[in-house]
Amino acid sequence: MSSIPRDSLPIGTVLDCYRITKLIGSGGFSLIYLAEDEDNHDEVAIKEYLPKRFGVRQDQFAVSVAEEAKYESFQRGRRLFYQEARVLATLRHPNIVYVRNCFLANNTAYLVMNYEPGKNLGRYIKKRKGRVSTNFLMTVFPPLLDALELIHSRQHLHLDIKPSNIHLRPGGNPLLLDFGAAYHLDDIGDKKAQVVTPGFSPIEQYYASGQVTAATDVYAAGATMRACIEGKPPPSAVERHAEDKLTPAIEAFGPHYPREVLESIDWAMQLDGARRPNSAGELRDALLGRIRVPRNIYDGAEQAAG
């Protein structure tokens, strides 16, 4: 019991119609619980908005801000948390986490999802030190890119694709998680909610003047594939933009993986968004060998669109 953070809800707490049975995860902005739906006895996962830096548990249940100066940050974060629920409510795909419910209680917000047993891709590749099999890559990434194609078709971008946001169900069937950074393509110029993850975010995500598009998520998907092989994040796009020392995957891992897999990674990770696949579907088709990767992606040092 000592490993449970002091600010998690007590086991047995009832939220709406859900009884908490276990704390199963925590992040910078939330805690995740395993719970039982008391109406139908289904197991569910409940995500509670509780930012680590400025959220505190007042008593056993209610959440408040650590200091009054952080009140606006807390409220804004809660709005983004609800935004995640709204985005997910519009998306139905076997490889996108399914949200059952979202509600307010204890001065904070809760998101109720189907519980899916399995493991986190980030932890899995770190433990293995990369070097996953070709079969593993082809089990995980084509369906993931298929899910991403649906997200883009609804005029949304994920903007935080990385190994730790991918859940592997038994057999390797993936589930894309964490839509807290999701961005609607109609929100032109609204960059204030931007999330950046070094190694996985492309150069355009770092700058207010950078234009995020479907190719932004494509870069992150390619970087995630490379991390599965290498066991660590690639260099940040800012480092690469200053001086690109990243050895192309086709050179670094040539003897161990099929050419179409490595060329697809290199294509997705072009610094210039205009040189990447135009869509997640195009990257998926290159990965599956349905289309050829352009020959010019290895031509000289490219210039990034900052």
Side-chain angles (χ1 to χ4, degrees):
M1 282 293 182
S2 61
S3 64
I4 295 178
R6 69 185 191 285
D7 55 2
S8 63
L9 287 167
I11 303 307
T13 299
V14 176
L15 297 166
D16 195 56
C17 61
Y18 310 100
R19 183 178 294 277
I20 288 176
T21 56
K22 187 181 179 183
L23 179 76
I24 56 174
S26 62
F29 290 90
S30 60
L31 297 177
I32 301 173
Y33 306 92
L34 183 64
E36 181 183 358
D37 185 328
E38 294 192 317
D39 292 340
N40 57 23
H41 304 292
D42 283 353
E43 274 194 318
V44 297
I46 299 182
K47 187 173 180 179
E48 177 186 44
Y49 175 63
L50 181 56
K52 185 185 280 186
R53 284 187 297 118
F54 46 83
V56 292
R57 187 84 62 192
Q58 276 180 314
D59 48 36
Q60 282 192 309
F61 306 103
V63 170
S64 67
V65 286
E67 50 188 282
E68 197 61 35
K70 296 293 185 182
Y71 180 76
E72 283 303 318
S73 297
F74 180 87
Q75 292 293 95
R76 180 175 162 273
R78 195 168 67 172
R79 284 195 299 272
L80 290 172
F81 190 89
Y82 248 88
Q83 172 184 302
E84 177 178 6
R86 286 199 306 273
V87 170
L88 286 168
T90 69
L91 302 169
R92 290 287 176 268
H93 189 281
N95 301 101
I96 296 174
V97 64
Y98 177 78
V99 170
R100 291 171 168 235
N101 195 3
C102 190
F103 58 90
L104 294 172
N106 297 328
N107 195 38
T108 191
Y110 295 90
L111 198 152
V112 184
M113 302 165 284
N114 280 358
Y115 172 67
E116 301 270 8
K119 56 200 171 196
N120 180 270
L121 176 61
R123 287 195 290 273
Y124 177 74
I125 61 177
K126 191 173 181 181
K127 188 176 176 182
R128 282 185 54 99
K129 297 182 171 59
R131 295 294 182 186
V132 301
S133 67
T134 299
N135 184 57
F136 178 90
L137 290 171
M138 300 308 281
T139 300
V140 172
F141 286 95
L144 209 63
L145 291 164
D146 194 60
L148 203 50
E149 188 173 39
L150 172 67
I151 293 164
H152 294 164
S153 75
R154 301 290 172 83
Q155 298 301 298
H156 286 292
L157 302 175
H158 186 283
L159 294 186
D160 199 19
I161 293 168
K162 56 189 176 186
S164 62
N165 280 342
I166 296 166
H167 179 75
L168 300 175
R169 290 175 284 202
N173 189 17
L175 200 58
L176 186 56
L177 308 175
D178 204 341
F179 284 68
Y183 174 101
H184 197 277
L185 288 170
D186 286 347
D187 300 336
I188 303 301
D190 181 14
K191 307 271 284 187
K192 57 184 178 293
Q194 201 89 317
V195 169
V196 171
T197 303
F200 300 100
S201 300
I203 194 71
E204 63 267 20
Q205 253 179 290
Y206 282 84
Y207 303 109
S209 60
Q211 186 177 3
V212 292
T213 66
T216 303
D217 281 340
V218 164
Y219 182 100
T224 298
M225 282 192 274
R226 180 159 182 140
C228 285
I229 293 173
E230 212 159 11
K232 62 181 182 181
S236 77
V238 171
E239 290 174 60
R240 292 187 63 206
H241 188 236
E243 185 180 1
D244 195 1
K245 295 180 179 178
L246 184 67
T247 305
I250 195 72
E251 289 178 33
F253 314 111
H256 308 290
Y257 295 91
R259 185 174 191 86
E260 59 267 22
V261 170
L262 300 177
E263 286 184 343
S264 296
I265 292 170
D266 289 336
W267 189 19
M269 289 187 69
Q270 297 289 295
L271 282 170
D272 183 350
R275 291 171 61 108
R276 298 175 210 146
N278 290 320
S279 67
E282 196 170 27
L283 177 58
R284 176 200 60 215
D285 289 347
L287 197 58
L288 293 170
R290 295 173 183 166
I291 62 171
R292 291 182 68 92
V293 171
R295 294 176 180 272
N296 66 356
I297 64 166
Y298 300 109
D299 292 349
E302 55 168 316
Q303 295 298 311

